[in-house]
Amino acid sequence: MSEIGTAPLSRSEAAHALDTVTRALAVLRGETAAQEPLEEVLGRLARTAATAVPDAVSVTHLDDDGPRTVALTDDTLAAIDGDQYAAGRGPCLQAATSRRPVRAVVGEHADRWPEFTAAARAAGIRAYLSVPVIVDTPGEDPGELVGSFNVYARTAAAFDPFDEKLMQLLTTAASVAISNARRWRRAQWQVEHLTQALTSRADIDQAKGVMMAMHRIGADEAFTRLSEISQRTNTKVHAVARHLMAEFADPDHPPPL
């Protein structure tokens, strides 16, 4: 990793960092990443970032409940992030809300972010780099803002534009991870609801068949009777059907069909 105002990364160092990020991106293209819990994927990306840019890394996620740290490579970062969330200001929140990377030495913005500055100095952090995570959403431009990747270093001259670009590549991977996780959850939800619908339909069809045989009525009339019981008892039709079939199977309690 190069230092601000000094020689840039050597070719071998840059190649190693890029290879690390490329491997992370390749893994995220597979189905396994899509099925992993979001926190696990982001945690793996945070560890990858700490390998490519060898410093401590945290991931801030923004949702309806506000910002929270969902992954980190050093436990001391939890307090630094937490102070920013409590104060409602700091580089990780600035990167997230501005949709632009924030790169500086601790102390440069002490008047603007006093809580972060104090927490960072107490933990021995001298420089920071925060990059927003933006997820492409169909029909939305420029995309949904979901948080930031935050890198903290214990040397003041820690980050340069190459590191910033490298982290932007990793936030692209994070965006892919979040999109995959959301698609996976939607697919799971659809499967679960389809399974429930098919099960409910089977229960209703069985109850209708019993009523048709016992009362010599048609399918429509059988369903009408199930619906009447549903309305009278304020119970869903499939639950009425399941209850009636359970009673029908019990010879001591014939169903009130």
Side-chain angles (χ1 to χ4, degrees):
M1 182 174 55
S2 64
E3 297 184 351
I4 298 173
T6 63
L9 282 173
S10 70
R11 182 167 300 188
S12 62
E13 290 172 328
H16 171 71
L18 288 173
D19 284 345
T20 301
V21 173
T22 300
R23 286 195 297 272
L25 290 168
V27 170
L28 285 167
R29 294 192 188 101
E31 288 187 18
T32 302
Q35 300 176 25
E36 286 181 328
L38 178 59
E39 283 76 10
E40 290 185 14
V41 176
L42 292 176
R44 176 154 48 82
L45 280 170
R47 291 189 294 274
T48 300
T51 302
V53 182
D55 293 287
V57 180
S58 73
V59 182
T60 298
H61 185 215
L62 298 175
D63 56 25
D64 293 339
D65 296 325
R68 61 191 177 96
T69 299
V70 295
L72 47 81
T73 62
D74 185 331
D75 290 341
T76 61
L77 301 185
I80 299 175
D81 285 355
D83 284 350
Q84 294 180 71
Y85 304 154
R89 56 188 178 183
C92 72
L93 297 180
Q94 177 67 21
T97 55
S98 69
R99 297 173 177 258
R100 296 176 61 86
V102 175
R103 173 168 55 95
V105 174
V106 171
E108 285 187 22
H109 303 289
D111 293 340
R112 187 179 182 186
W113 301 323
E115 300 84 5
F116 163 75
T117 301
R121 283 174 170 166
I125 299 300
R126 303 287 304 282
Y128 54 87
L129 169 62
S130 293
V131 181
V133 179
I134 300 172
V135 176
D136 290 334
T137 304
E140 292 187 14
D141 186 25
E144 180 187 357
L145 177 69
V146 297
S148 64
F149 256 62
N150 317 299
V151 190
Y152 299 109
R154 289 182 167 81
T155 56
F159 304 119
D160 67 5
F162 178 86
D163 300 310
E164 187 173 312
K165 293 297 183 183
L166 201 63
M167 288 304 300
Q168 286 178 311
L169 281 176
L170 277 167
T171 57
T172 298
S175 299
V176 172
I178 293 170
S179 296
N180 284 348
R182 288 177 174 177
R183 283 196 294 269
W184 177 253
R185 285 196 296 269
R186 283 197 296 269
Q188 287 293 92
W189 181 86
Q190 290 171 347
V191 168
E192 290 171 1
H193 280 258
L194 178 59
T195 301
Q196 182 179 4
L198 292 174
T199 301
S200 299
R201 176 61 183 270
D203 291 336
I204 292 171
D205 286 344
Q206 287 181 345
K208 283 169 55 180
V210 169
M211 296 182 76
M212 290 167 63
M214 292 184 64
H215 299 287
R216 298 183 183 276
I217 57 178
D220 290 345
E221 176 62 21
F223 184 76
T224 297
R225 295 192 182 189
L226 285 174
S227 298
E228 290 174 348
I229 298 173
S230 171
Q231 294 173 2
R232 188 170 64 249
T233 60
N234 194 27
T235 306
K236 291 184 177 180
V237 174
H238 71 84
V240 171
R242 190 174 303 146
H243 178 69
L244 292 177
M245 290 306 300
E247 290 191 334
F248 181 77
D250 185 352
D252 297 328
H253 298 87
L257 301 175

